[in-house]
Amino acid sequence: MQKGGFNFDLYQRNVELIEKNNYKVPKTTKTGTTIVGVVFSDGVVLGADTRATSGPIVADPNCEKIHKISDYIWCAGAGTAADTENTTGMISLQLELLSLSTGRSPRVRTALTLLKNFLFRYHGYISAALVLGGVDFTGPHLHMIHPHGSTSTLPYISMGSGSLAAMAVLETGYNSKMGEEDAKSLVHQAILSGILNDLGSGGNVDLCVIKHKSMEFFRNVDTTNSKRKFRKKLPYMFKSGSTKILEKEIEEKMRKMEIVNEKESQIEELEEL
Amino acid sequence: MELIESPLQDLKKEVSTGTTIIAVQYQDGVIIGADSRTSSGSYAVNRVTDKLTPVHDYIYCLRSGSAADTQIIASYVSYYLNMFSIEEGCLPTVKKAAHMFREFCYQNKQYLLASIIVAGWDEENGGCVYNVPLGGSIIKQPFAIGGSGSSYLYGYCDIHFKENMTEEEAISFVSKGITEAIARDGSSGGICRIATINKDGVKRRTIYGNELQKFWEK
């Protein structure tokens, strides 16, 4: 009886379907992404773009890539959207339970260990590349986590397909004595560089500033890239009456209810106890 | 239409510490040294990595191979070593740490890509260096080199190594070796991290790029 883990039983069938039957493999939604984190004097700034791609199509032009692990520990994710969301969600639950059972506020280090051990078990098949940042009672921390489970602790990090473009900006602009405004501006520029120069990144810029016992989320700080002239407004709304009614059939559900058994006496006995 | 161009394919590769690591026994203990580059294909993911990982107070391991595999193995060994030393009430020997690494690397050799050097100081034996290469064998040596950059150091080490060096001589031996490997190996680079382990504890230092020795070039 197999408990958990991956099941590769259908692998042979899938290979045959693709080769002989010309079956089209469904595409996963990837966040071809730029995510960035920077440590400054009082805390950490995380940044991300907002484009989720499914092959060459933009599946979601304004998705949220910065996920909450705990109140003052947040995580930006690149790779497969499902993997990053569910991994961060799971570790967020585990961290909450741990913090309740130990009676202590959660540490960034704990989230790091939980994430790295989880990803290592799946040998890189869970495609989640994460930038984990937060402030706990020991101070501000910033870590990068690769899909295979290796981690690094650095003062500035960029990951995703746009990481090369963002790293160029970070390497030029970073200095260890930055304040909050400088750090926010640097992260903003780095994400913008990824959006403009990387085809897999786009949309708007999201920022998250975490300081001691304070967190500010700036959703869609910069929307200059999404001002398209001919965009239809979402969600799609259809005027009432635009669909033609061909047939009408009304079924009375009440008549179908039958009273099978009356068990009032049983309920009374329970109440006495 | 190819949206992702070839430099970005590097980011999908597994992160490895394509590395140079050296450990050498000297008069009072051991000197260990490593470069600081972690690469993913041809992209340097971390240019200031610390490959000198403590597993106990006086015992360090030098990691090369897959970053994820070696980090996890070092975590496990550090955990078990701490448990044993608490139960036994004394500091663990370097031999015990090295054999624990060997056990992990050998028993899981199909799944792991880890080549580790274990070095430290203990009361009974003084400074010890153990090499635990890819397949999970274990060899005690007066000095050990590992990683992709070590290929360029076999000649250098054979000529310049001496038994019972002083601390300065040993540090010079290690730092020059790392410098040479960084100059010749593409997967090694960054700064040179060095640590001295003896009865007084661990002393760490960093030698930055511009301070590294230049050899024949002016």
Side-chain angles (χ1 to χ4, degrees), chain B residues 140-196:
Chain B
K140 184 179 191 307
Q141 295 173 307
F143 73 92
I145 53 178
S148 57
S150 65
S151 324
Y152 307 99
L153 296 181
Y154 284 105
Y156 169 84
C157 288
D158 285 345
I159 298 291
H160 287 102
F161 173 74
K162 289 181 317 212
E163 298 260 339
N164 283 324
M165 288 188 276
T166 63
E167 189 175 329
E168 290 86 61
E169 285 173 341
I171 288 179
S172 164
F173 173 78
V174 168
S175 64
K176 280 187 191 163
I178 301 279
T179 312
E180 178 60 19
I182 287 174
R184 294 296 182 180
D185 179 31
S187 310
S188 304
I191 56 181
C192 175
R193 292 197 190 274
I194 293 194
T196 311

Side-chain angles (χ1 to χ4, degrees), chain B residues 13-62:
Chain B
K13 295 200 181 128
E14 193 179 332
V15 172
S16 77
T17 44
T19 274
T20 310
I21 47 177
I22 308 181
V24 67
Q25 228 176 323
Y26 79 106
Q27 267 172 12
D28 309 321
V30 291
I31 307 277
I32 54 178
D35 73 310
S36 68
R37 179 174 290 181
T38 309
S39 48
S40 174
S42 59
Y43 178 65
V45 168
N46 185 350
R47 58 182 171 82
V48 286
T49 326
D50 186 5
K51 300 178 191 172
L52 276 41
T53 310
V55 289
H56 208 269
D57 297 340
Y58 292 86
I59 306 174
Y60 268 62
C61 77
L62 302 165

Side-chain angles (χ1 to χ4, degrees), chain A:
Chain A
M1 234 291 241
Q2 196 187 0
K3 266 188 181 177
F6 285 107
N7 187 336
F8 290 102
D9 288 349
L10 293 174
Y11 172 74
Q12 205 56 44
R13 176 207 80 154
N14 291 343
V15 167
E16 278 179 28
L17 276 175
I18 295 166
E19 286 173 3
K20 291 176 190 165
N21 302 16
N22 290 322
Y23 185 73
K24 276 198 180 137
V25 183
K27 293 224 159 74
T28 50
T29 309
K30 270 180 95 65
T31 42
T33 286
T34 312
I35 50 174
V36 153
V38 163
V39 178
F40 67 99
S41 51
D42 305 320
V44 173
V45 182
L46 297 176
D49 72 312
T50 61
R51 175 179 288 184
T53 51
S54 182
I57 308 285
V58 175
D60 188 348
N62 201 7
C63 72
E64 268 189 44
K65 299 188 189 176
I66 306 183
H67 311 285
K68 178 176 168 179
I69 305 268
S70 104
D71 286 334
Y72 308 111
I73 304 174
W74 289 66
C75 185
T80 308
D83 288 344
T84 56
E85 278 176 36
N86 287 295
T87 306
T88 50
M90 263 198 277
I91 263 66
S92 159
L93 296 173
Q94 286 181 23
L95 202 65
E96 171 76 7
L97 288 171
L98 193 65
S99 131
L100 287 169
S101 73
T102 55
R104 285 164 172 75
S105 62
R107 305 184 200 192
V108 185
R109 204 85 226 265
T110 318
L112 177 72
T113 311
L114 290 171
L115 284 163
K116 85 178 322 199
N117 288 342
F118 176 76
L119 290 174
F120 182 76
R121 285 209 312 269
Y122 291 93
H123 293 287
Y125 283 107
I126 292 191
S127 172
L130 309 167
V131 172
L132 175 71
V135 180
D136 54 31
F137 74 95
T138 53
H141 297 278
L142 184 66
H143 305 284
M144 73 180 346
I145 306 162
H146 288 268
H148 282 268
S150 58
T151 60
S152 288
T153 307
L154 292 164
Y156 53 95
I157 293 169
S158 75
M159 295 193 88
S161 58
S163 67
L164 270 66
M167 187 48 90
V169 174
L170 291 174
E171 288 281 21
T172 319
Y174 178 83
N175 76 74
S176 52
K177 297 183 179 72
M178 280 195 306
E180 183 179 337
E181 286 314 308
D182 290 334
K184 271 169 70 181
S185 151
L186 183 66
V187 168
H188 187 150
Q189 288 308 311
I191 300 289
L192 214 52
S193 165
I195 289 171
L196 294 169
N197 299 299
D198 174 43
L199 298 174
S201 309
N204 313 312
V205 179
D206 283 352
L207 286 181
C208 177
V209 181
I210 312 168
K211 295 189 290 198
H212 179 64
K213 295 254 185 269
S214 112
M215 195 289 296
E216 281 177 281
F217 195 98
F218 299 96
R219 174 93 172 122
N220 291 355
V221 147
D222 187 339
T223 50
T224 46
N225 235 35
S226 341
K227 295 220 168 88
R228 284 193 217 119
K229 253 190 178 174
F230 307 106
R231 267 185 84 70
K232 190 167 177 70
K233 286 201 174 71
L234 296 169
Y236 289 103
M237 294 295 284
F238 297 98
K239 275 187 288 189
S240 128
S242 47
T243 311
K244 206 165 139 195
I245 298 172
L246 298 173
E247 252 182 70
K248 220 179 197 176
E249 195 183 305
I250 301 172
E251 219 178 74
E252 283 196 39
K253 291 267 173 177
M254 286 304 286
R255 285 237 179 99
K256 296 207 170 169
M257 250 177 59
E258 293 168 35
I259 298 170
V260 179
N261 234 338
E262 290 202 44
K263 286 197 173 180
E264 277 189 79
S265 52
Q266 215 181 27
I267 297 165
E268 278 185 89
E269 277 171 37
L270 286 168
E271 280 179 329
E272 274 172 7
L273 287 165

Side-chain angles (χ1 to χ4, degrees), chain B residues 156 175-177 179-181 183 212-218:
Chain B
Y156 169 84
S175 64
K176 280 187 191 163
T179 312
E180 178 60 19
L212 290 174
Q213 276 227 313
K214 287 193 167 66
F215 291 104
W216 54 270
E217 44 182 317
K218 292 214 175 91

